[in-house]
Amino acid sequence: MIGLVQFCLFQAAWFACVLGAAHGQVAAGLMAVAAVVLLHLAVSPARAADLALTVLAMLMGLAWDSAMVRQGWVQYASPGPLPQLAPIWILALWALFATLLRGPLAWLHGRPLLAAVLGAIGGPLSYLAAVRLGAGSFPDPAVALAVLGAGWAVMTPALIESARRLGRRHPPAPTGPT
């Protein structure tokens, strides 16, 4: 049940962030994402692991989406002050994605091939949905989607494995009397 709630909160914040960027209201989307990420961290039994995973995902997103921009494969609405870098709202979406890695997507831990397939399909579909909602464009959609699929086929298993390892390194804090 908690996983379903997490996923619903993820979806609501994703739409708020994407639609905010599409309509030049980035701050509203950022606030929605921040609320979900902070709530996730507040109730996490392993805050250190989840915080490390969030930072890792954001750094990965900064590198990946900035490369996508520099190569001209994607153009984002509301690009921000440094147009050659991924906009802040994209980095927020990476932080939001991190909230799923040790929760609703934990069933992928130890299944790198399945994580790669899910990433290769889900990653590009997410970007395509954002583009269709007006949050960006693909100058060459076929190339952009192919590159996104290849990238997410690598990044998803890497993040899933990181989530698994961080969960072992930072086990949940004990609860109750000892």
Side-chain angles (χ1 to χ4, degrees):
M1 181 59 123
I2 291 173
L4 179 61
V5 170
Q6 279 183 293
F7 184 74
C8 289
L9 289 172
F10 168 87
Q11 285 301 122
W14 185 93
F15 274 106
C17 194
V18 168
L19 291 171
H23 297 289
Q25 301 294 322
V26 173
L30 291 178
M31 288 191 304
V33 169
V36 171
V37 171
L38 291 173
L39 176 63
H40 172 74
L41 292 172
V43 301
S44 172
R47 271 187 212 100
D50 284 327
L51 183 58
L53 194 56
T54 299
V55 170
L56 175 63
M58 290 177 72
L59 290 172
M60 187 179 286
L62 177 62
W64 174 253
D65 280 291
S66 294
M68 293 291 293
V69 168
R70 283 193 300 277
Q71 293 301 316
W73 290 319
V74 66
Q75 296 170 340
Y76 292 113
S78 304
L82 300 172
Q84 72 276 15
L85 296 178
I88 188 72
W89 64 269
I90 286 290
L91 300 181
L93 290 177
W94 281 89
L96 186 64
F97 180 61
T99 67
L100 300 180
L101 298 171
R102 289 182 7 92
L105 295 180
W107 61 274
L108 288 171
H109 292 191
R111 297 179 171 141
L113 185 57
L114 192 53
V117 170
L118 181 67
I121 296 167
L125 287 177
S126 180
Y127 283 72
L128 182 59
V131 164
R132 294 225 171 127
L133 290 170
S137 64
F138 296 138
D140 185 339
V143 170
L145 292 170
V147 171
L148 284 164
W152 277 87
V154 173
M155 293 183 294
T156 303
L159 285 170
I160 291 290
E161 179 60 15
S162 296
R164 188 180 69 78
R165 287 181 183 214
L166 283 166
R168 283 195 314 217
R169 193 174 305 152
H170 301 280
T175 57
T178 55

